[in-house]
Amino acid sequence: MPQRYGGRVALVTGAASGIGRATVLRLLEEGARVAGLDTAPVDTDGELDGELDGVLGVRCDIRDEEAVRAAVDRVAAWGGRLDLVANVAGVASYAHTADVTLAEWDRILAVNLTGTFLVCRAALPHLVAARGAIVNVASLAGVRGWRYSAAYSAAKGGVVALTRSLAVEFAPSGVRVACVCPGSVDTPLKAGLQPVPDPDPRLLEHGRALVDPPVADPAEVAAAIAYLGSAEARFATGAVLRIDGGSGV
């Protein structure tokens, strides 16, 4: 395992499960001290809510501006610096667009897009000081049409656009910003999605991966996040990396 993060401090949102948890574990293996933000306890080796074995677990709802600001400042004080932010937290749902309520639209955008923005904004002064990096988790749904996912696609498309905008704005400050766009990943989020009633059969195979099995392991996405956040990815600022098994080809 490469040791690209020795002496570095990383913050990972959505750290309690799925891609977020896999990212915490990957960064720990590569030598980082890691702070995990989530509304649930961060679990790496038993229940964790507080500091243990190089990990700081912080309860935080990333939709809450003041909570985000306090959490990021706590992480920077704990680590003495902040080198990487991985914005992984997200929510999703499937629905016929005509059935999407305004409350559901607002929920999806608040977590996936506004929450990502709030964490980036709070972290950027610390990242400028460290000449660090941001890696946002968008989605294949943010770069191509996706069935029954109007709100989620709009939010993740916004994450892609936010990533590119920040990459341009903060390049002179030495901060790199990139994002990954996973396709189907074996996570609790995916397992919890309810199918839409009466789907159009023509859309059921839309976006299926070309590789077998057609679903990624969270560790595969975490490996890409670790690369994009490292010094090895110096020339990849603004990158939008699809990890989709060829389904977007």
Side-chain angles (χ1 to χ4, degrees):
M1 179 68 65
Q3 291 293 298
R4 296 178 289 199
Y5 287 92
R8 310 270 178 175
V9 176
L11 182 158
V12 180
T13 71
S17 64
I19 296 170
R21 182 176 185 274
T23 301
V24 169
L25 294 174
R26 175 70 186 228
L27 294 173
L28 284 172
E29 288 178 353
E30 292 206 29
R33 298 176 69 200
V34 184
L37 272 59
D38 209 304
T39 55
V42 178
D43 179 359
T44 56
D45 186 17
E47 290 297 313
L48 174 63
D49 187 19
E51 186 177 0
L52 178 69
D53 295 335
V55 179
L56 177 69
V58 180
R59 299 277 191 116
C60 180
D61 184 339
I62 62 170
R63 298 172 296 181
D64 184 327
E65 181 178 9
E66 291 307 314
V68 166
R69 192 185 311 276
V72 171
D73 287 347
R74 178 183 173 190
V75 171
W78 167 76
R81 58 187 293 149
L82 183 57
D83 299 278
L84 171 64
V85 169
N87 282 301
V88 186
V91 293
S93 63
Y94 287 138
H96 294 283
T97 299
D99 297 330
V100 177
T101 66
L102 181 57
E104 180 65 359
W105 173 272
D106 288 344
R107 182 182 77 94
I108 297 292
L109 266 70
V111 175
N112 292 291
L113 181 54
T114 303
T116 296
F117 163 73
L118 290 174
V119 174
C120 288
R121 189 183 66 178
L124 275 163
H126 304 290
L127 294 171
V128 168
R131 299 180 69 85
I134 296 170
V135 182
N136 296 321
V137 175
S139 170
L140 182 60
V143 293
R144 62 167 296 180
W146 203 257
R147 62 192 184 276
Y148 309 122
S149 299
Y152 184 72
S153 293
K156 290 301 191 179
V159 171
V160 173
L162 174 65
T163 296
R164 288 171 166 156
S165 180
L166 294 178
V168 172
E169 181 177 350
F170 285 91
S173 301
V175 176
R176 295 176 298 101
V177 189
C179 71
V180 294
C181 292
S184 183
V185 185
D186 184 14
T187 65
L189 176 65
K190 173 180 168 58
L193 290 174
Q194 299 298 315
V196 298
D198 302 318
D200 188 322
R202 294 172 296 180
L203 302 181
L204 294 180
E205 294 300 310
H206 175 74
R208 183 176 174 82
L210 303 178
V211 300
D212 190 35
V215 178
D217 187 278
E220 296 176 279
V221 183
I225 292 170
Y227 162 69
L228 287 172
S230 75
E232 290 184 351
R234 180 190 69 85
F235 220 57
T237 195
V240 179
L241 176 61
R242 287 193 338 223
I243 308 170
D244 60 11
S247 57
V249 174

